Amino acid sequence: MTLLEGSIGVEDLVLLEPLEEESMLKNLQLRYENKEIYTYIGNVLVSVNPYQQLPIYGPEFIAKYQECTFYELKPHIYALANVAYQSLKFRDRDQCILITGESGAGKTEASKLVMSYVAAVCGKGEQVNSVKEQLLQSNPVLEAFGNAKTIRNNNSSRFGKYMDIEFDFKGSPLGGVITNYLLEKSRVVKQLKGERNFHIFYQLLAGADAQLLAALKLERDTGGYAYLNREVSRVDGMDDASNFKSVQSAMTVIGFSEEEIRWVLEVTALVLKLGNVKLSDEFQANGISASGISDARGVREIGEMMGLDSKELERALCSRTMATAKEKVVTALNVVQAQYARDALAKNIYSRLFNWIVNRINESIKVGTGEKKKVMGVLDIYGFEILEDNSFEQFVINYCNEKLQQVFIELTLKEEQEEYKREGIPWQKVDYFDNGIICNLIEHNQRGILAMLDEECLRPGVVSDSTFLAKLNQLFSKHSHYESKVTQNAQRQYDHTMGLSCFRICHYAGKVTYNVNSFIDKNNDLLFRDLSQAMWKAKHPLLRSLFPEGDPKQASLKRPPTAGAQFKSSVAILMKNLYSKNPNYIRCIKPNEHQQRGQFSRELVATQARYLGLLENVRVRRAGYAFRQGYKPFLERYRLLSRSTWPRWNGGDREGVEKILGELSACTSEEVTFGKTKIFIKSPKTLFYLEEQRRLRIQQLATLIQKIYRGWRCRTHYQQMRKSQILISSWFRGTMQKKRYGKMKASVLLIQAFVRGWKARKDYRKYFRSGAALTLSSFIYKSLAQKFLLGLKNNLPSTSILDKKWPAAPYKCFTTANQELQRLYHQWKCKKFRDQLSPKQVEVLREKLCASELFKDKKAAYPPSVPVPFRGDYIGLRGNPKLQKLTGREEGPVLMAETVRKVNRGNGKTSSRILLLTKGHVILTDSKKSQAKTVIGLESVAGVSVTSFQDGLFCLHLSEISSVGSKGDFLLVSEHVVELLTKMYRAVLDTTQRQLPITVAEQFSVKFKESNVTVKVTQGPRGNGSGKLSCKKKGSHGLEVTV
């Protein structure tokens, strides 16, 4: 299939070749997968729901489509809305936009987009903006009370809506009127599996504050209400609480008072409370079955909230009064009948509340009668429905769609005929399927299905759905568009899909089988007079106004009109309204049943295409000419195909078009007809031929333009290069001469200076002293030195010994002096710091210095010990007189007192000891008994071995000649090993005038009694050495310690 230039698939199905259902579905799928959801059928817009937000809406796109004609840009809902608005504003023609499609196809969103576009492009001003806001805010209110979650759609409109938006002569909105059709009130009392009741019930329970819920006598849990589906209380992507706030705000914007909003919510709560009224079996004295209220609390709460007498409400629910001209008879209702009456009351209350809300909105947005106005209608109504079980609702919905299809065909053909007449082209009769016979089958005043249904409902005697079906079978037995089991049997046809209680109508979109069960009840739509009177007696103003027939003064024995008759009358008014306006169509299609983006089910779309009659629409559009366009835009697009009209044409537009088509062999007189202002092309193939020729010609012209452009660019580039080369050469020569002149001038001046200097020195040499140069240099050097030292004096760093900053020497000759001055200044700071220290602080620093010399870069435990001051006493020696006695007074003060662990020589286990270090001894005592166990003289300590890890293990090596040393060395563990060994090192040095050898190694030999044991220290898996020590014997001469 040849495609129009720059488009994905065919943007207008009128140009589709071949014209078949398969090619149409393929084209829609191709465009949908490329996120092109809009397609034209002439001036009809087909919209496929993308189930996602696409970046094709907003002020930028509104401005773009506002400035263009219908076919100038891609198909878009803004283009259709713009055509309707411009025709209304400038041609003074009333418009209507008909939006049809299945539930979930995007009808509601389409109507919102149309209204938002009109609101954006119409006039501005405070009053105009107020009207626009009221019109837009009517949507969330109607959605809350009229929309619900269904299996097919999370926000399905369960009513039909027609809104007339009225404009003044400038195109600014004045107000509007909303008409609603056939609210699905049966949903109030029963929902299918996976569906919800109307949104307002869930929004009220989720969004109302605790005070409001208490006033309405409601609880927040949705599971506590019989009329709400307990399985589905929430919908993904829908915030009921937030939406409730939006509904309240929208009602305020529209003009509802706070009192009216409260009334609406109270009546809504009443419907929920009615569902919880439980009815039970009772028996009268004569044994006849009756019913009663099993839980009086619910009825009492309803009575308190609505100002009703609970006894009278109970009586109205459980009995029925039959009035005749002479007497009244009260009949008790059994449980099933009472439940039917309760549900009928709930449905009627909600349906009438919805009608009241629509009327209240109309009061706010209505226009004064004296103003001249233009009207744009927007119809958002159910599409054609074929379900597994089709009932009365589907019957009237499909009847409405039959009427809309009739309007479409008649208005389309009428528009075609009028255009042909304007252009002076003879009109040829178009063969198409006229569905008037089907409309007549349903709506005929005496012999239509609706008339038969009303007659059966009004007939005295036994009336049932089966008698109604029998009457239809008798009346329409030979009708070509009616079938039933009886008519099939008469014609000896067998169809297992046709039930005994069913009949079938051959609609324009396909055959639909209807089940007549409940047709009579749904058409009657009766509410017992007792319930109407009970509601009228309520003190609640809104509830009382909903039931005017309950007023005894207005009581009438006349039967109210049936639901079918009311709907037929509404459809007739709607059709009259549509015939008076110029129609614009939006056909909405649902691509899949799962509301998933990117999925395209051909079977589902094909079914909807048949329901919507898309192929029929295309055939009607193509009955005469598939394409027509004004001479001027046609000439602008195709004038490049003829050498006579390209590159310019000075003649008339029609002559130019005739010139172009006369030179093309495919454009014969049978394919092309010239009107007064337009060119008409019969076959899409001719248009595709023109597009293909234009594409080839554009390629030729593009090649020619490229050739000319490349030649021009090369010539221009060469000329620029030549000019640039001349300019660069002249500048280069000039610059070289300037540089040469500058060098020559500088050389001459230098020679002149030397010559003048030589002459001056020659004349005045006799006046110079021989030592003048040395004196000057000495003076200069001293001046520099003085300046350096004075500058250094003013920029001396701080006196902190940690501050090593020093000013740099200003001249290299002062570098050595500067370094020496820095050293002297540092030594002076250190001396000054030492002079300020107390003897105790000096002693502490000496100990830290000794520790640094012994352990820095040798043991891992040294760095953490640097900032920690050495305490010496870690066991509270002053508070323990027993331990003080062990040291003796002649020993002097205790240098170190702490608890250590002694490693057992035999098995490697550790035991706690208190170690006391004095100036002469190391004393190990029992930590519990405070008795000296071992006293080691410092002269007996031969050396100390420690590890490089962060542990406290060390070994005291004793000389063999000492009494203690004969028992062997001591293997100890201390938590302050750095401090302990530092103090021990200094004590040994002071006592014996010798340096204590301290060995840092992971393996060392320890003498235990007469044998030597090799101690090997390894680091455990923790890796920090701060955990517990683990000692294991390795034979008789080995001990492995894990730290």
Side-chain angles (χ1 to χ4, degrees), residues 741-754:
Y741 168 75
K743 287 181 179 180
M744 290 173 64
K745 184 177 179 180
S747 301
V748 170
L749 292 176
L750 183 61
I751 294 170
Q752 289 176 349
F754 271 102

Side-chain angles (χ1 to χ4, degrees), residues 370-473:
E371 298 185 56
K372 184 181 179 181
K373 48 191 178 289
K374 308 171 184 179
V375 179
M376 176 185 289
V378 179
L379 178 65
D380 174 6
I381 202 164
Y382 346 80
F384 200 87
E385 287 190 356
I386 302 179
L387 306 180
E388 292 183 5
D389 185 16
N390 301 285
S391 188
F392 179 76
E393 291 84 2
Q394 284 69 46
F395 176 73
V396 293
I397 286 170
N398 293 344
Y399 161 60
C400 180
N401 278 274
E402 284 285 357
K403 295 295 289 182
L404 290 175
Q405 177 69 6
Q406 189 178 33
V407 170
F408 171 77
I409 293 174
E410 290 183 7
L411 292 182
T412 301
L413 291 177
K414 181 181 178 182
E415 183 182 356
E416 288 278 306
Q417 190 171 3
E418 287 179 353
E419 184 174 23
Y420 281 29
K421 185 177 180 181
R422 284 196 307 270
E423 295 295 325
I425 297 174
W427 170 256
Q428 298 177 355
K429 185 178 179 180
V430 176
D431 293 329
Y432 66 94
F433 171 67
D434 185 1
N435 66 339
I437 187 174
I438 302 173
C439 296
N440 198 44
L441 168 68
I442 298 172
E443 67 179 4
H444 192 276
N445 289 333
Q446 285 81 33
R447 298 176 58 84
I449 293 177
L450 287 175
M452 293 300 103
L453 182 59
D454 287 349
E455 182 181 318
E456 194 68 13
C457 290
L458 299 175
R459 182 175 63 83
V462 179
V463 177
S464 66
D465 296 316
S466 58
T467 59
F468 165 63
L469 180 60
K471 181 173 288 188
L472 294 183
N473 291 335

Side-chain angles (χ1 to χ4, degrees), residues 271-289:
V271 176
L272 284 177
K273 302 290 286 183
L274 273 176
N276 287 358
V277 174
K278 297 181 180 178
L279 300 161
S280 59
D281 280 315
E282 292 184 0
F283 292 93
Q284 295 179 332
N286 56 6
I288 297 175
S289 176

Side-chain angles (χ1 to χ4, degrees), residues 576-732:
K576 182 180 179 181
N577 203 346
L578 296 180
Y579 276 117
S580 67
K581 295 178 174 62
N582 183 54
N584 302 271
Y585 301 92
I586 301 176
R587 308 295 203 194
C588 297
I589 292 178
K590 179 169 62 174
N592 61 77
E593 290 283 9
H594 311 292
Q595 303 178 33
Q596 296 292 321
R597 66 180 66 178
Q599 291 187 10
F600 189 92
S601 171
R602 283 206 173 192
E603 294 77 11
L604 179 64
V605 175
T607 303
Q608 294 175 82
R610 287 191 289 270
Y611 294 171
L612 296 171
L614 296 188
L615 274 179
E616 188 75 13
N617 292 358
V618 177
R619 290 192 180 100
V620 169
R621 289 285 175 182
R622 287 178 56 169
Y625 294 91
F627 179 80
R628 73 281 315 266
Q629 192 174 25
Y631 288 123
K632 185 172 182 179
F634 188 89
L635 178 63
E636 283 296 320
R637 183 168 184 83
Y638 298 108
R639 65 193 180 98
L640 50 83
L641 297 181
S642 171
R643 296 184 179 276
S644 303
T645 56
W646 180 261
R648 61 178 57 87
W649 171 252
N650 297 322
D653 295 336
R654 174 167 179 167
E655 290 78 5
V657 173
E658 291 175 348
K659 196 75 174 177
I660 294 168
L661 298 179
E663 295 180 8
L664 297 174
S665 58
C667 299
T668 60
S669 58
E670 291 81 10
E671 284 291 321
V672 177
T673 303
F674 296 93
K676 294 179 180 178
T677 63
K678 292 182 180 179
I679 175 73
F680 290 78
I681 297 177
K682 197 172 190 66
S683 170
K685 292 181 180 179
T686 305
L687 181 64
F688 293 142
Y689 170 76
L690 288 172
E691 285 293 320
E692 181 65 19
Q693 293 298 315
R694 181 176 182 273
R695 184 182 65 80
L696 295 175
R697 180 58 177 163
I698 287 176
Q699 289 181 354
Q700 295 174 359
L701 293 176
T703 304
L704 178 62
I705 293 170
Q706 288 175 351
K707 180 183 73 172
I708 295 173
Y709 172 73
R710 290 191 185 109
W712 169 83
R713 189 176 65 176
C714 289
R715 285 192 301 273
T716 305
H717 182 62
Y718 165 74
Q719 291 171 358
Q720 287 180 344
M721 288 180 63
R722 186 171 180 274
K723 290 179 181 179
S724 300
Q725 189 273 333
I726 295 171
L727 183 62
I728 292 170
S729 300
S730 63
W731 274 93
F732 177 75

Side-chain angles (χ1 to χ4, degrees), residues 895-947:
L895 302 177
M896 186 75 179
E898 76 158 327
T899 302
V900 299
R901 287 177 288 159
K902 177 178 173 294
V903 180
N904 192 288
R905 296 168 176 154
N907 54 17
K909 294 183 179 180
T910 61
S911 57
S912 181
R913 295 286 188 273
I914 293 177
L915 185 145
L916 302 175
L917 174 63
T918 66
K919 290 185 177 181
H921 295 87
V922 176
I923 303 171
L924 293 174
T925 68
D926 193 326
S927 61
K928 296 180 181 179
K929 298 179 180 179
S930 300
Q931 296 177 356
K933 284 211 169 191
T934 307
V935 180
I936 306 171
L938 292 180
E939 69 276 0
S940 301
V941 179
V944 179
S945 294
V946 295
T947 70

